[in-house]
């Protein structure tokens, strides 16, 4: 895949259909839709603010030249890590890598797009979609990346706040005051907030931390 890809037009068109279907499914998922907009809102025009699968209106415009250009620009020796797990003989692994990856260039002579650090931009974004039955609310803050000394503290904080789904409350947990979490108790007083999740998304040099709430618009607001 890395060294001998053909990228023929027929399979490229098939893959476009696959990505189109994935995008359609993503656009029907309230959490995925909300998070795409959160990233766009806080990182603006930086590549971190762009949708993972791309813009659905641009999928059909992709051609073979774009794909090969991206490959040459990003897939080269110094950008690749080969990992062996288990009872692996190190020298044997090195020999196999040298044999099968010898065609790969060590570096690329093409510039990599937008290497600037992503900068968090606080702001408010409101989007109306009359086809969606309920509303999604995201409240997110600037947070440390995985290289920061507070990385593990934020992981712990995320798990302490946790997630909430009203349809998973059963038996003695029907009373929100007995769910052992102050956040759950607060949400239990908002009967039409049906789901909530604390999310921490760290990257090498940036991150966001916050909560996603889903339910009736009056209560989620």
């Amino acid at each position: 895949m890395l060294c001998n890809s053909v990228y023929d037009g027929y399979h490229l068109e098939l893959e476009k259909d696959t990505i189109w279907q994935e995008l359609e499914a993503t656009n029907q998922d309230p959490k995925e839709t909300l998070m795409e907009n959160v990233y766009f809102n806080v990182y603006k025009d930086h590549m971190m603010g762009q949708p993972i699968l791309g813009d659905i209106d641009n999928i059909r415009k992709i051609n073979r030249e774009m794909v090969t250009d991206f490959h040459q620009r990003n897939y080269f020796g110094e950008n690749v890590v080969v990992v062996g797990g288990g009872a692996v003989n190190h020298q044997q692994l090195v020999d196999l890598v040298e044999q099968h990856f010898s065609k790969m260039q060590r570096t690329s002579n093409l510039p990599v797009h937008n290497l600037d650090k992503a900068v968090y931009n606080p702001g408010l974004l409101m989007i109306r979609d009359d086809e969606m039955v309920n509303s999604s609310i995201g409240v997110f803050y600037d947070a440390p990346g995985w290289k920061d000394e507070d990385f593990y503290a934020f992981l712990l904080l995320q798990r302490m706040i946790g997630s909430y789904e009203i349809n998973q409350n059963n038996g003695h947990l029907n009373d929100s005051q007995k769910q052992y979490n102050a956040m759950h108790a607060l949400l239990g007083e908002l009967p039409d907030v049906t789901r909530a999740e604390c999310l921490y998304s760290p990257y090498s040099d940036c991150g966001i931390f916050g909560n996603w709430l889903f339910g009736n618009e009056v209560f989620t607001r």
Side-chain angles (χ1 to χ4, degrees):
M1 290 176 64
L2 286 172
C3 301
N4 301 295
S5 293
V6 178
Y7 298 125
D8 65 87
Y10 172 74
H11 288 101
L12 183 62
E13 292 302 317
L14 287 180
E15 191 61 26
K16 284 189 199 179
D17 288 335
T18 300
I19 297 174
W20 179 278
Q21 293 168 14
E22 291 176 356
L23 270 166
E24 286 286 353
T26 297
N27 291 341
Q28 300 300 317
D29 186 307
K31 178 183 172 184
E32 292 288 344
T33 301
L34 183 278
M35 292 308 299
E36 296 272 76
N37 286 291
V38 166
Y39 277 96
F40 173 75
N41 194 36
V42 300
Y43 292 126
K44 305 301 181 189
D45 294 328
H46 191 275
M47 62 181 180
M48 286 289 293
Q50 307 310 305
I52 295 173
L53 292 172
D55 189 322
I56 196 167
D57 295 326
N58 289 333
I59 296 301
R60 300 299 181 191
K61 301 176 184 176
I62 295 176
N63 56 42
R64 183 181 184 278
E65 288 68 32
M66 292 178 181
V67 176
T68 55
D69 176 80
F70 183 87
H71 189 146
Q72 295 170 8
R73 202 176 291 270
N74 295 279
Y75 289 85
F76 50 86
E78 292 183 356
N79 254 12
V80 174
V81 176
V82 179
V83 178
V88 178
N89 179 285
H90 177 73
Q91 189 55 51
Q92 184 181 17
L93 179 62
V94 171
D95 293 341
L96 287 169
V97 170
E98 290 179 346
Q99 174 186 346
H100 293 287
F101 288 82
S102 60
K103 294 180 181 179
M104 180 178 287
Q105 297 293 320
R106 182 181 182 87
T107 60
S108 174
N109 57 1
L110 300 173
V112 179
H113 297 304
N114 195 348
L115 290 177
D116 296 334
K117 180 180 178 180
V119 177
Y120 178 93
N121 297 279
L124 178 65
L125 178 66
M126 303 181 72
I127 297 177
R128 182 184 179 94
D129 186 344
D130 291 326
E131 294 183 1
M132 300 190 82
V133 177
N134 287 301
S135 68
S136 286
I137 306 292
V139 182
F140 284 86
Y141 304 91
D142 193 15
W146 62 59
K147 295 180 181 179
D148 193 280
E149 62 181 6
D150 289 327
F151 167 69
Y152 290 104
F154 269 75
L155 282 180
L156 177 60
L157 184 60
Q158 177 196 15
R159 281 155 179 74
M160 288 171 62
I161 298 175
S163 59
Y164 172 90
E165 286 195 38
I166 197 169
N167 62 352
Q168 289 187 355
N169 301 344
N170 53 34
H172 65 286
L173 295 183
N174 279 337
D175 183 351
S176 61
Q177 299 296 330
K178 297 179 180 178
Q179 293 188 45
Y180 323 117
N181 184 314
M183 183 73 165
H184 292 173
L186 172 65
L187 293 169
E189 297 173 1
L190 304 172
D192 285 343
V193 175
T194 57
R195 296 180 66 187
E197 185 173 350
C198 182
L199 298 166
Y200 174 40
S201 297
Y203 300 90
S204 62
D205 58 0
C206 64
I208 59 173
F209 179 90
N211 285 276
W212 164 59
L213 305 167
F214 177 78
N216 181 286
E217 181 177 2
V218 175
F219 291 98
T220 49
R221 282 185 183 276

